Amino acid sequence: MTASRDAFILANTALTAPPHVPEICLHLADEAHDLWRRTEEELAAIGLPPPFWAFAWAGGQGLARYVLDHPGTVSGKNVLDFASGSGLVAIAAAKAGAAKILAADIDPFCEAAIRLNAAQNGVAADFSDEDWIGRDGGWDVVLAGDVFYDKPFAERLLPWFSALHARGAEILIGDPGRAYLPKTGLEKLAVYEVPVTRALEDAEVKRTTVWRFG
């Protein structure tokens, strides 16, 4: 299974530097509509969920940019990159000097994508496909890009983030205006204009904010 996932990723992506994070090179889909359509119509037999890992989403790009520009945020710290996808933010944290990184995503395809992408950038990160919501791995910093797109998911995240914040974890969120971002309890750290794939976002640029939770 690992070999087939690696082969699928290598066959359906191209090495690309996300426009807002040119220091990092990822295996990304170069034709969003084609890969998405093939996933839905042809690839159920190999168990491929929608390939969120194949795109550099705006929230992740903004959060990765912030981490690279402010390495003290993660340097020497135990970091969770939650809903890691391609591993973009985890890779940025590694480049910024994080001592320990867990890239977590419930899509098992992300293990292959993150491993390939991390190797391409000369870094490493541990991976977990477990659901970590409600659990505490002792992280100093939790990084979360593009996580407030779904109401039930957001409702699970908020008490978890609150509990982690209450015991001292720093939680940074990259968000391009998703519908279920909390309206209160956030501190604005940075705003970026992030180029994105029009096929996915119905826009060419998304104004993306990095927030500190709590």
Side-chain angles (χ1 to χ4, degrees):
M1 182 62 75
T2 297
S4 66
R5 289 172 177 168
D6 285 11
F8 176 82
I9 291 168
L10 295 173
N12 287 277
T13 63
L15 285 171
T16 306
H20 208 64
V21 198
E23 302 95 321
I24 293 174
C25 195
L26 304 173
H27 294 273
L28 299 176
D30 56 5
E31 178 44 67
H33 270 161
D34 181 60
L35 180 55
W36 209 271
R37 184 174 63 250
R38 288 182 60 199
T39 299
E40 292 179 341
E41 295 176 359
E42 302 172 26
L43 299 176
I46 64 169
L48 178 65
F52 296 110
W53 50 264
F55 306 100
W57 299 89
Q61 288 196 58
L63 190 53
R65 179 77 272 149
Y66 183 85
V67 167
L68 288 172
D69 290 346
H70 303 86
T73 302
V74 299
S75 181
K77 297 179 181 179
N78 180 359
V79 176
L80 171 67
D81 176 25
F82 176 72
S84 188
S86 67
L88 170 59
V89 178
I91 292 166
K95 285 181 169 287
K100 184 177 181 182
I101 304 163
L102 178 63
D105 200 297
I106 60 172
D107 180 351
F109 251 85
C110 291
E111 185 279 329
I114 292 167
R115 174 171 38 77
L116 292 169
N117 288 333
Q120 180 64 36
N121 289 276
V123 300
D126 294 330
F127 175 78
S128 173
D129 63 3
E130 298 177 43
D131 183 353
W132 281 93
I133 297 176
R135 301 160 64 187
D136 190 342
W139 312 289
D140 302 308
V141 180
V142 175
L143 305 173
D146 275 299
V147 294
F148 286 103
Y149 55 85
D150 176 80
K151 185 177 181 181
F153 193 51
E155 289 174 345
R156 293 184 66 208
L157 288 179
L158 291 175
W160 181 46
F161 283 175
S162 295
L164 293 173
H165 171 71
R167 67 95 171 135
E170 183 169 49
I171 300 162
L172 302 184
I173 298 164
D175 187 88
R178 301 298 183 208
Y180 301 103
L181 181 75
K183 300 297 189 289
T184 60
L186 299 175
E187 176 190 354
K188 185 184 295 184
L189 299 179
V191 180
Y192 304 107
E193 299 292 329
V194 179
V196 294
T197 302
R198 174 173 286 278
L200 298 179
E201 297 280 15
D202 196 29
E204 294 181 353
V205 175
K206 297 285 283 189
R207 179 177 289 268
T208 300
T209 304
V210 175
W211 304 93
R212 177 184 285 120
F213 180 90

